[in-house]
C-alpha cells in the first residue's frame, strides 16, 4: 500500500516536472511585469516621445502591468530578447494582454516585433522608423477600428521591405475589460487571429485575398504603353436613330395644373386672416423706437382657424397634369458597334517572383511605439511561444481569472445586466452571421462597405439596430440588382425623363445652397433687439 502511494506521488511529480519543462521550453519570451520594468525595458530618449511609462496595478487587481500614464502623448519602449526568434520554421505564437481602463477613442495599443539591430536601429533611439518584422494589436481612431496584423516582407527582386496589411481584420472590443490578443503563425502559411481565445480571423500569408498588397506579385500586369484605339466604342446602349417623336407629344405641357373640379370646403372663413396680433403682448419697457423701429405685436395663429377648414382667400389646389410628358428622348437600343469596356493588354510582370513561404526576418526585440489620446492603457503578459497550448495555458491562468472578475463587476454595476447579456449574446450571433455573409463571393465588390457597417454596429451600441437594418438593406439591394440587373431595358418611353429629374435635383441643390448661405449671413449679422416677427 505504501509502495503504491509512493509510486503515485512519483508519477504526479514526473507529470508536473514535464509540464513545467514543456512550458519553460516553449515560452521563447515571457514578460509578466510582476517586477518593475527598469533594467529589462529601455525607454526611448527621442524628443517626440514624452509619455511616461509606469509600473502599475490593473484596476481592481493585485496584478501589475506596463501603464500608459498620460493623455495625448507619444510613447516608445523596447525590450531586447536574449536570443532572436526565428519565424521561418515551425509554429510561432505572439500573444499579449491589453486593458483599456479609460476606453480608447483615438490611439494605438499594438506591439512591434523588431528586426535585429543590424537593420539600423538602437534601443534608446527606438521610434516609428525602427524596422520591424510584424506589427500586431488594436488600433482605433475615427473610422479606423481594427486589430492590426502587418508583415514587413523583403521583395527578393528589389530588396525593398514592403508592408503587407491583413485584409478585413477584426475590430477592437469596445469595453474597458482586459483582453488577450493572439496571432498564430503556422508553417503551412496559415495565420490565425484570436481575441480572448476565440478565433476572429483566419488567413493565408500567400493569398492575395488576405493581404494587401499580396506578398506574391501578379504574373501579368496591364501594359502601360497600350493605348485605347480611337474608334473603340464603349457605349452598350445608344439612342434609337430611327425613333421619331409622336405627334401628340407636348414637351411644353406643365407638370401641374389647377384642379378645376375642386370645390371650396364648407365653413371656410374668407374674411379671417391665418395670423393675428397677440392680444397678450405688450411693448417692452426698454424698447427704443429710434433704434428698434416701430414696435408691433408678435403674430400668433388665429384661434378661429383651428376649428375651420381654412382661413383667408381660398384658391383651387394644383394637381398633376395628365398630359405632362416632359422632354422627349429617343429610346435606347443595343449598340451594334459596342466592343465592351476597353482594357490594356496584359504583359508578363517583370517584378513577379514565386514564393513557397514568407521570408520572415527574425524577431530580436519587442517594442511598444504608440500615439494615443487616452491614458490608462495597461499592457501585460507579453508572450512568444512555439506551441499553441502554451499560449492557451497562459490565457487560462494569467488572463481569464482577471477577466472573469472584471466581467462580474461590470454586471453588478449594470442594473439591466441580465437583459444586456442576453441581447449581447444574440447580437454576437447576428454579427458572426453577417461576417459570414460578407464573405459570400458575389458580394466581393461590396465587402468593404458591408464590413465597415458591421464594425460601426459593433462599436456603437446606440446605433446598432439602425446600422443592422442598413446592412440588411444593402445586402438585399445588391442581391436584387444582381438578380434582375441583367434584364434588357424596356424601349417604352418614360413619362418622367432623366433631364426633368436632373433639373428638379439641380433646383433642390440650389435651394439648399441658398439656405446655407442665408444661415451663414444670419450668423455673421450682429443680434439686434427683437421685432414683432422675432417674438
Amino acid at each position: 500500500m505504501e509502495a503504491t502511494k509512493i509510486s503515485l506521488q512519483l508519477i504526479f511529480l514526473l507529470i508536473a516536472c514535464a509540464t513545467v519543462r514543456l512550458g519553460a521550453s516553449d515560452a521563447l519570451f515571457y514578460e509578466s511585469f510582476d517586477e518593475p520594468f527598469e533594467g529589462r525595458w529601455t525607454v526611448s530618449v527621442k524628443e517626440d516621445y514624452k509619455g511616461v511609462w509606469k509600473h502599475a496595478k490593473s484596476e481592481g487587481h493585485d496584478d501589475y502591468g506596463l501603464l500608459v500614464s498620460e493623455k495625448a502623448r507619444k510613447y516608445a519602449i523596447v525590450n531586447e530578447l536574449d536570443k532572436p526568434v526565428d519565424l521561418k520554421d515551425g509554429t510561432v505564437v505572439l500573444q499579449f494582454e491589453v486593458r483599456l481602463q479609460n476606453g480608447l477613442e483615438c490611439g494605438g495599443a499594438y506591439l512591434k516585433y523588431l528586426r535585429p539591430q543590424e537593420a539600423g536601429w538602437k534601443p534608446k533611439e527606438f521610434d516609428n522608423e525602427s524596422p520591424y518584422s510584424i506589427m500586431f494589436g488594436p488600433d482605433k481612431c475615427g473610422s479606423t477600428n481594427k486589430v492590426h496584423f502587418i508583415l514587413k516582407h523583403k521583395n527578393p527582386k528589389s530588396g525593398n521591405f514592403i508592408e503587407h496589411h491583413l485584409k478585413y481584420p477584426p475590430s477592437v472590443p469596445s469595453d474597458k475589460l482586459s483582453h488577450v490578443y493572439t496571432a498564430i503563425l503556422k508553417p503551412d502559411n496559415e495565420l490565425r487571429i484570436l481575441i480572448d481565445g476565440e478565433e476572429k480571423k483566419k488567413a493565408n500569408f500567400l493569398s492575395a485575398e488576405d493581404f494587401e498588397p499580396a506578398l506574391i506579385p501578379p504574373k501579368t500586369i496591364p501594359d502601360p504603353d497600350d493605348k485605347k484605339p480611337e474608334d473603340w466604342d464603349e457605349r452598350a446602349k445608344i439612342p434609337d436613330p430611327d425613333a421619331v417623336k409622336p405627334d401628340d407629344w407636348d414637351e411644353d405641357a406643365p407638370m401641374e395644373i389647377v384642379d378645376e373640379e375642386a370645390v371650396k370646403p364648407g365653413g371656410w372663413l374668407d374674411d379671417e386672416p391665418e395670423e393675428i396680433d397677440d392680444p397678450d403682448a405688450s411693448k417692452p419697457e426698454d424698447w427704443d423706437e429710434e433704434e428698434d423701429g416701430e414696435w408691433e405685436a408678435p403674430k400668433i395663429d388665429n384661434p378661429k382657424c383651428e376649428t375651420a377648414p381654412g382661413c383667408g382667400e381660398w384658391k383651387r389646389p394644383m394637381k398633376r397634369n395628365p398630359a405632362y410628358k416632359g422632354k422627349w428622348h429617343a429610346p435606347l437600343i443595343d449598340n451594334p458597334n459596342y466592343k465592351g469596356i476597353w482594357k490594356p493588354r496584359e504583359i508578363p510582370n517583370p517584378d513577379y517572383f514565386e514564393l513557397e513561404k514568407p521570408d520572415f526576418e527574425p524577431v530580436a526585440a519587442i517594442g511598444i511605439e504608440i500615439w494615443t489620446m487616452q491614458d490608462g492603457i495597461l499592457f501585460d503578459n507579453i508572450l512568444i511561444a512555439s506551441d499553441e497550448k502554451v499560449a492557451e495555458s497562459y490565457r487560462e491562468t494569467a488572463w481569464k481569472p482577471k477577466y472573469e472578475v472584471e466581467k462580474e463587476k461590470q454586471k453588478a454595476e449594470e442594473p439591466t445586466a441580465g437583459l444586456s447579456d442576453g441581447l449581447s449574446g444574440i447580437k454576437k450571433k447576428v454579427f458572426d452571421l453577417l461576417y459570414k455573409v460578407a464573405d459570400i463571393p458575389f458580394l466581393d465588390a461590396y465587402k468593404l462597405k458591408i464590413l465597415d457597417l458591421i464594425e460601426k454596429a459593433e462599436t456603437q451600441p446606440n446605433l446598432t439596430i439602425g446600422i443592422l437594418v442598413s446592412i440588411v438593406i444593402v445586402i438585399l439591394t445588391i442581391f436584387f440588382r444582381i438578380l434582375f440587373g441583367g434584364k434588357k431595358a424596356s424601349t417604352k418611353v418614360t413619362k418622367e425623363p432623366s433631364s426633368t429629374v436632373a433639373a428638379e435635383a439641380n433646383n433642390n441643390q440650389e435651394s439648399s445652397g441658398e439656405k446655407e448661405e442665408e444661415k451663414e449671413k444670419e450668423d455673421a449679422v450682429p443680434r439686434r433687439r427683437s421685432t414683432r416677427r422675432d417674438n
Side-chain angles (χ1 to χ4, degrees):
M1 183 68 181
E2 187 68 27
T4 304
K5 192 173 183 180
I6 293 173
S7 298
L8 287 174
Q9 289 176 345
L10 182 59
I11 291 171
F12 286 133
L13 180 60
L14 290 172
I15 292 174
C17 290
T19 303
V20 171
R21 183 176 299 175
L22 175 66
S25 63
D26 288 331
L28 305 177
F29 172 85
Y30 178 61
E31 173 61 84
S32 66
F33 295 106
D34 289 340
E35 301 296 331
F37 60 85
E38 291 87 353
R40 300 187 312 281
W41 292 77
T42 302
V43 177
S44 175
V45 298
K46 294 294 282 286
E47 185 177 354
D48 289 345
Y49 298 90
K50 302 294 186 182
V52 176
W53 296 99
K54 289 187 177 180
H55 181 242
K57 286 184 179 180
S58 179
E59 186 178 320
H61 304 291
D62 289 329
D63 186 54
Y64 282 86
L66 182 64
L67 179 69
V68 169
S69 66
E70 298 176 301
K71 297 180 180 180
R73 291 284 188 271
K74 287 185 177 181
Y75 292 80
I77 192 170
V78 67
N79 184 309
E80 299 177 73
L81 307 185
D82 294 334
K83 180 182 178 182
V85 175
D86 188 354
L87 303 178
K88 294 182 180 180
D89 298 316
T91 297
V92 176
V93 183
L94 311 176
Q95 181 169 285
F96 67 100
E97 294 176 27
V98 173
R99 185 180 185 188
L100 309 173
Q101 297 178 125
N102 298 324
L104 184 62
E105 295 178 7
C106 187
Y110 42 77
L111 267 57
K112 290 184 175 181
Y113 298 85
L114 295 121
R115 291 158 53 194
Q117 292 184 44
E118 289 78 8
W121 69 279
K122 297 179 180 179
K124 288 189 176 182
E125 297 178 4
F126 173 49
D127 61 11
N128 64 324
E129 298 296 330
S130 300
Y132 62 85
S133 289
I134 291 172
M135 186 175 114
F136 172 52
D139 188 18
K140 182 179 178 183
C141 192
S143 60
T144 298
N145 184 344
K146 63 182 71 174
V147 178
H148 280 294
F149 187 94
I150 303 173
L151 167 66
K152 274 201 173 182
H153 188 263
K154 185 178 181 180
N155 184 307
K157 285 203 167 184
S158 67
N160 297 326
F161 282 86
I162 309 297
E163 281 190 2
H164 300 275
H165 293 244
L166 177 67
K167 288 184 178 180
Y168 319 122
S171 57
V172 181
S174 58
D175 53 43
K176 300 178 182 179
L177 308 179
S178 296
H179 293 283
V180 58
Y181 299 88
T182 309
I184 304 172
L185 290 66
K186 304 287 287 184
D188 60 356
N189 299 324
E190 181 183 87
L191 168 68
R192 294 168 57 215
I193 303 294
L194 282 60
I195 301 179
D196 298 345
E198 181 179 350
E199 184 177 296
K200 295 292 186 178
K201 178 73 177 180
K202 180 184 286 187
N204 187 295
F205 282 111
L206 302 187
S207 171
E209 299 297 321
D210 293 330
F211 280 87
E212 177 64 36
L215 269 72
I216 302 176
K219 288 186 176 182
T220 62
I221 58 171
D223 184 355
D225 298 323
D226 194 14
K227 306 296 181 184
K228 183 172 71 174
E230 294 182 0
D231 62 345
W232 191 279
D233 196 338
E234 294 182 331
R235 299 173 300 163
K237 299 283 185 179
I238 59 171
D240 186 354
D242 299 324
V244 179
K245 183 175 71 173
D247 293 336
D248 62 346
W249 192 286
D250 184 1
E251 291 185 340
D252 299 323
M255 185 182 294
E256 290 186 330
I257 58 174
V258 175
D259 186 358
E260 298 294 345
E261 298 178 357
V263 178
K264 181 170 68 174
W268 190 280
L269 305 179
D270 298 83
D271 299 328
E272 289 289 340
E274 293 182 1
E275 291 184 332
I276 61 172
D277 291 342
D278 184 354
D280 298 327
S282 59
K283 183 170 70 173
E285 294 181 359
D286 62 344
W287 188 273
D288 188 336
E289 293 193 354
E290 291 184 1
E291 180 182 344
D292 301 321
E294 183 180 355
W295 181 83
E296 296 180 19
K299 296 290 186 179
I300 62 170
D301 292 335
N302 189 343
K304 294 181 180 179
C305 300
E306 293 180 1
T307 56
C311 293
E313 181 184 358
W314 180 81
K315 294 181 180 180
R316 284 187 172 85
M318 303 294 287
K319 69 175 184 179
R320 184 171 181 81
N321 183 3
Y324 171 76
K325 294 184 178 180
K327 186 173 179 60
W328 181 82
H329 294 275
L332 297 177
I333 61 171
D334 292 335
N335 182 3
N337 299 319
Y338 175 65
K339 294 184 178 180
I341 303 300
W342 182 84
K343 294 180 180 179
R345 64 174 174 267
E346 294 284 316
I347 61 173
N349 184 359
D351 296 324
Y352 172 76
F353 59 85
E354 294 185 355
L355 195 67
E356 292 185 1
K357 60 192 322 181
D359 186 16
F360 290 108
E361 290 289 313
V363 172
I366 295 177
I368 306 173
E369 185 275 316
I370 58 175
W371 175 89
T372 179
M373 294 301 293
Q374 268 70 50
D375 58 356
I377 301 174
L378 193 78
F379 294 89
D380 200 3
N381 294 317
I382 301 173
L383 171 72
I384 300 178
S386 57
D387 190 332
E388 296 179 51
K389 292 182 179 179
V390 174
E392 182 181 357
S393 70
Y394 276 97
R395 290 196 299 271
E396 289 295 320
T397 58
W399 165 76
K400 194 169 184 178
K402 292 187 296 185
Y403 177 79
E404 295 295 343
V405 170
E406 294 162 11
K407 193 73 173 175
E408 288 301 319
K409 183 180 179 182
Q410 180 178 266
K411 287 181 181 179
E413 293 174 352
E414 293 178 359
T416 57
L419 178 61
S420 65
D421 283 350
L423 289 175
S424 64
I426 296 172
K427 282 164 60 178
K428 181 181 180 302
K429 293 180 180 178
V430 172
F431 288 132
D432 289 343
L433 176 61
L434 288 173
Y435 276 117
K436 292 179 181 178
V437 170
D439 285 328
I440 296 175
F442 79 81
L443 294 175
D444 279 348
Y446 308 90
K447 190 169 184 176
L448 283 175
K449 182 176 181 180
I450 295 171
L451 288 171
D452 183 56
L453 287 172
I454 295 173
E455 288 183 358
K456 287 180 180 178
E458 282 188 305
T459 57
Q460 302 181 42
N462 56 322
L463 302 179
T464 295
I465 300 300
I467 293 176
L468 287 177
V469 172
S470 300
I471 294 170
V472 173
I473 291 173
V474 169
I475 293 173
L476 289 177
T477 301
I478 296 167
F479 176 76
F480 284 112
R481 185 179 297 169
I482 293 172
L483 194 62
F484 302 111
K487 293 185 177 181
K488 292 183 68 176
S490 173
T491 57
K492 182 180 178 180
V493 179
T494 59
K495 290 186 177 182
E496 296 185 38
S498 58
S499 61
T500 305
V501 177
E504 292 176 1
N506 187 51
N507 290 337
N508 290 336
Q509 290 175 356
E510 291 177 358
S511 174
S512 175
E514 289 171 0
K515 289 179 180 178
E516 291 178 1
E517 186 176 343
E518 289 174 1
K519 186 178 185 302
E520 290 175 359
K521 289 179 179 178
E522 289 174 0
D523 292 340
V525 175
R527 184 181 297 273
R528 57 169 297 186
R529 298 193 185 188
S530 56
T531 63
R532 64 185 182 87
R533 301 303 293 171
D534 297 329
N535 297 324

